[in-house]
Each structure stands twice: as C-alpha cells, then as structure tokens.
Amino acid sequence: MVTRMTARGVHERDLPGIPATGNQLTMTATVIHRIENGRLAEKWSDKDLLGFLQQLGVIPTPGGTPT
C-alpha cells in the first residue's frame, strides 16, 4: 500500500536550532506499507526535508536567497 500525503501548517514554535518564523509551510511525504497476512510487516517513508528546511530559511533555494 502506498500513501502520498501533504501536510500544511504555520511554524509557530521553535524547532531544535530553528526559532519560530511564522512562515506558512507545506511538506509532502510518501509512505509505503508492506502488508503480510493482513498485518503490517514493513514501512518505509520519504519526507521532503529539503523543501521543509528551505521554507524555514535554513537552506537557501537554488539561485536565490533563503525564504
């Protein structure tokens, strides 16, 4: 089973090493579950952490300045 998700929110509180910015954030992820005999056997996930950190201004966007 594969799930594609999008989470949206506002950076209102400090994250470790990142003070609150008030920025609107959108983060996408893909999660893959392997089901065996009706039960969860394995799970893999991939989140867009690069895009998340760019939205926080921690990492600059290509050809531009941090947002």
Side-chain angles (χ1 to χ4, degrees), residues 2-58:
V2 177
T3 304
R4 177 78 172 147
M5 29 193 272
T6 302
R8 293 179 177 83
V10 178
H11 182 209
E12 295 179 337
R13 296 192 178 140
D14 294 350
L15 293 169
I18 307 170
T21 62
N23 291 359
Q24 295 281 329
L25 302 171
T26 300
M27 185 168 161
T28 58
T30 303
V31 183
I32 301 169
H33 295 94
R34 185 173 70 81
I35 309 297
E36 185 176 298
N37 298 322
R39 300 183 70 163
L40 178 62
E42 295 181 83
K43 179 189 99 162
W44 302 273
S45 65
D46 180 45
K47 300 176 211 84
D48 180 14
L49 293 176
L50 174 61
F52 180 73
L53 292 172
Q54 287 174 328
Q55 292 174 74
L56 293 174
V58 175

